[in-house]
Amino acid sequence: MPEKTSAPGKIILLGEHAVVYGIPAVAVPLSTLRVTVSWQKLESGDFQIIARDLKNQDITLTPNLDNEQNPLTRIVSSVLAYYNQKLPSVRFEITSDLPIASGLGSGAAVSTALGRAVANSIGEDIPNAILNEMVYNVEKIHHGTPSGIDNTVIVYEQSIKYKKDEPIESLRVHTPFTVLVADTGVTALTHQAVGDVRKLYQANQQRIQSIFNEIDSIVVTAIDYIGRGQIKELGKLMYQNHKLLQKLTVSSPKLDHLVEVALSEGALGAKLSGGGRGGNMIALVEEDMIDTVGNALSSAGATRVFHTDIK
Ligand code: MEV
């Protein structure tokens, strides 16, 4: 019987991109969409990672794990180095409900689930704080200058207010609310969008800093609304956040279209979520509007729509 570990996806409710510059952001785990790693000891001495859901990668790693730039080998070597262990003879199989390059945290979820599996396969249960640091370092391969929000929400699997270099705070939710998540079907690299925002920032620090400051006050106010159950007001702030993300050039015509469709069909708020340029958007909806808004998003070209409750 193979043993199993897993990790959830995530959505960013508010504050993406600005979070890289020290502004707070809010993220929630998507516990129903997961990356799962099953593992099985091998007699052959081989070490294998089978990852068909991740661009058909079937990797048989060499024992020296010399490819530090491959995210899969990097997390394996980090865990083994931490426990001072050699490569075990184990076959790991990664399966994923999360599309890659779509803003749902697939990269961090793969690293988290695989890191846990490698530790388990050598008889260890890796503490979240240690794993979080390792996954963050792998995120640097994916993203260049990640804020740390993706690895943190995924490793700890809890809704958080996240601010770089500050202790993680769990999000206090007064009244549960529902968010629709709709995929543009367009893959986009977070790395690229984060790099472009950096160029923009370097070219015009004052203007971009003032956008970040606006996002800051939106996020702080939104956290207060979430804590008080003022969901309609939260929706308005989400849309304001989207407009500021447009100014940061990380939206796209399809994201904008889905956001406008959601609002015109009765969503309380909508915005892109994550790195942008493609990937997913989110819409805040009252329960009786889930189907109407969800169907409208599908008709408008979303390739996958689902909803998640934030509690
Ligand atoms: C990606 O999920 C969120 C970004 O803010 C990047 C980061 O925080 O590392 C775009």
Side-chain angles (χ1 to χ4, degrees), residues 116-237:
R116 286 187 177 132
V118 172
N120 287 179
S121 76
I122 54 169
E124 301 286 354
D125 205 0
I126 191 162
N128 281 342
I130 304 290
L131 182 60
N132 195 29
E133 192 63 36
M134 291 176 184
V135 177
Y136 176 69
N137 286 324
V138 177
E139 286 291 282
K140 287 187 186 160
I141 304 174
H142 289 296
H143 291 179
T145 54
S147 64
I149 190 169
D150 287 11
N151 47 283
T152 303
V153 65
I154 285 170
V155 168
Y156 289 94
E157 197 164 349
Q158 69 181 55
S159 299
I160 51 168
K161 170 193 168 191
Y162 180 85
K163 195 167 179 209
K164 231 165 122 174
D165 304 325
E166 285 193 6
I168 312 153
E169 267 181 60
S170 32
L171 185 71
R172 208 171 60 79
V173 180
H174 179 282
T175 311
F177 54 94
T178 302
V179 164
L180 280 163
V181 183
D183 198 334
T184 58
V186 178
T187 54
L189 296 174
T190 303
H191 180 78
Q192 183 80 43
V194 169
D196 289 351
V197 172
R198 184 160 302 279
K199 280 185 209 143
L200 217 57
Y201 181 74
Q202 280 160 353
N204 196 342
Q205 207 151 326
Q206 246 180 351
R207 190 175 86 83
I208 303 304
Q209 187 61 51
S210 87
I211 294 175
F212 291 157
N213 293 347
E214 282 185 70
I215 295 177
D216 190 353
S217 79
I218 285 173
V219 174
V220 170
T221 313
I223 289 170
D224 187 51
Y225 287 157
I226 294 169
R228 292 167 190 269
Q230 291 176 243
I231 299 307
K232 283 201 172 105
E233 288 84 348
L234 169 66
K236 290 190 188 120
L237 291 180

Side-chain angles (χ1 to χ4, degrees), residues 7-300:
K10 65 94 202 353
I11 49 175
I12 308 256
L13 272 189
L14 299 135
E16 55 275 269
H17 286 288
V19 68
V20 174
Y21 297 80
I23 302 301
V26 178
V28 301
L30 278 177
S31 293
T32 50
L33 293 189
R34 307 189 74 84
V35 170
T36 303
V37 178
S38 342
W39 60 270
Q40 212 162 11
K41 295 234 182 233
L42 297 175
E43 298 299 321
S44 61
D46 285 348
F47 177 90
Q48 297 175 348
I49 298 178
I50 315 292
R52 289 193 191 95
D53 286 347
L54 315 174
K55 293 196 213 141
N56 293 321
Q57 290 194 61
D58 280 11
I59 297 180
T60 306
L61 291 173
T62 49
N64 61 7
L65 291 173
D66 53 2
N67 187 356
E68 282 284 296
Q69 287 312 304
N70 179 314
L72 299 180
T73 55
R74 177 69 173 271
I75 192 75
V76 172
S77 58
S78 308
V79 173
L80 293 177
Y82 179 74
Y83 289 109
N84 202 12
Q85 291 274 333
K86 291 204 296 281
L87 203 65
S89 181
V90 178
R91 177 185 201 268
F92 297 90
E93 185 153 5
I94 303 172
T95 51
S96 179
D97 306 324
L98 296 165
I100 54 170
S102 70
L104 298 183
S106 142
V110 167
S111 301
T112 302
L114 183 58
R116 286 187 177 132
V118 172
N120 287 179
S121 76
I122 54 169
E124 301 286 354
D125 205 0
I126 191 162
N128 281 342
I130 304 290
L131 182 60
N132 195 29
E133 192 63 36
M134 291 176 184
V135 177
Y136 176 69
N137 286 324
V138 177
E139 286 291 282
K140 287 187 186 160
I141 304 174
H142 289 296
H143 291 179
T145 54
S147 64
I149 190 169
D150 287 11
N151 47 283
T152 303
V153 65
I154 285 170
V155 168
Y156 289 94
E157 197 164 349
Q158 69 181 55
S159 299
I160 51 168
K161 170 193 168 191
Y162 180 85
K163 195 167 179 209
K164 231 165 122 174
D165 304 325
E166 285 193 6
I168 312 153
E169 267 181 60
S170 32
L171 185 71
R172 208 171 60 79
V173 180
H174 179 282
T175 311
F177 54 94
T178 302
V179 164
L180 280 163
V181 183
D183 198 334
T184 58
V186 178
T187 54
L189 296 174
T190 303
H191 180 78
Q192 183 80 43
V194 169
D196 289 351
V197 172
R198 184 160 302 279
K199 280 185 209 143
L200 217 57
Y201 181 74
Q202 280 160 353
N204 196 342
Q205 207 151 326
Q206 246 180 351
R207 190 175 86 83
I208 303 304
Q209 187 61 51
S210 87
I211 294 175
F212 291 157
N213 293 347
E214 282 185 70
I215 295 177
D216 190 353
S217 79
I218 285 173
V219 174
V220 170
T221 313
I223 289 170
D224 187 51
Y225 287 157
I226 294 169
R228 292 167 190 269
Q230 291 176 243
I231 299 307
K232 283 201 172 105
E233 288 84 348
L234 169 66
K236 290 190 188 120
L237 291 180
M238 285 169 64
Y239 185 55
Q240 284 174 26
N241 192 171
H242 181 74
K243 298 305 268 180
L244 293 167
L245 288 162
Q246 283 177 334
K247 290 189 183 169
L248 294 177
T249 75
V250 294
S251 193
S252 72
K254 189 152 184 193
L255 280 166
D256 291 343
H257 180 56
L258 294 180
V259 164
E260 296 306 329
V261 166
L263 294 173
S264 69
E265 292 295 325
L268 300 174
K271 63 184 278 294
L272 71 85
S273 176
R277 297 270 168 86
N280 280 267
M281 57 76 70
I282 54 176
L284 179 64
V285 284
E286 281 165 318
E287 218 178 317
D288 57 351
M289 295 305 284
I290 294 174
D291 289 345
T292 312
V293 179
N295 291 337
L297 288 168
S298 297
S299 307

